[in-house]
Amino acid sequence: MLPTEHRLRRREEFAAAVRRGRRAGRPLLVVHMRSGEPDPHAPGESAFPARAGFVVSKAVGGAVVRTRVKRQLRHLVRERLSVLPPGSLVVVRALPGSGDASHEQLARDLDAALERLLGRGAR
């Protein structure tokens, strides 16, 4: 499970990451990331932790398949929270092929997308 402080919950947060962030597409998923900003509600100038949200539509599969994909993605993102800049917003959108993909394939695509967004991958 992804800790509460690392979850995107509000529609505005998802929209900010998707509309004003950068995007990296892979065959199984698309990752949108908006770089971190200071939290206006926090004392001082501290940044809130990196937060992630997931979009898994019915095109991926039935309810059981969608839930499995969401759980796998949450697990993968939780392991990679330490490499994300503080305050960043990340939205992972699963594409239709992700329902049939293995855990390793999802991990490989997520790593490649994050490397590109963080400036470590080739274009």
Side-chain angles (χ1 to χ4, degrees), residues 8 10-25 29-35 37 51-56 87-95 117:
L8 288 182
R10 297 189 346 243
R11 177 183 175 128
E12 297 82 24
E13 296 170 333
F14 278 86
V18 172
R19 292 188 182 133
R20 292 187 292 253
R22 296 179 60 210
R23 179 182 72 205
L29 48 88
V30 177
V31 179
H32 300 268
M33 184 170 81
R34 181 170 186 206
S35 296
E37 297 175 354
R51 294 180 292 160
F54 306 92
V55 178
V56 183
S88 60
L89 304 178
V90 177
V91 174
V92 180
R93 182 167 46 98
L95 296 176
L117 289 171

Side-chain angles (χ1 to χ4, degrees), residues 36-104:
E37 297 175 354
D39 185 3
H41 304 292
E45 293 189 17
S46 65
F48 52 82
R51 294 180 292 160
F54 306 92
V55 178
V56 183
S57 73
K58 288 185 179 181
V60 171
V64 173
V65 174
R66 291 194 312 270
T67 301
R68 181 176 49 81
V69 169
K70 279 187 276 190
R71 285 181 178 172
Q72 287 178 335
L73 291 174
R74 276 198 307 260
H75 179 75
L76 291 168
V77 169
R78 186 183 66 203
E79 293 175 344
R80 290 153 179 83
L81 283 172
S82 61
V83 301
L84 297 173
S88 60
L89 304 178
V90 177
V91 174
V92 180
R93 182 167 46 98
L95 296 176
S98 61
D100 300 324
S102 68
H103 188 75
E104 292 78 23

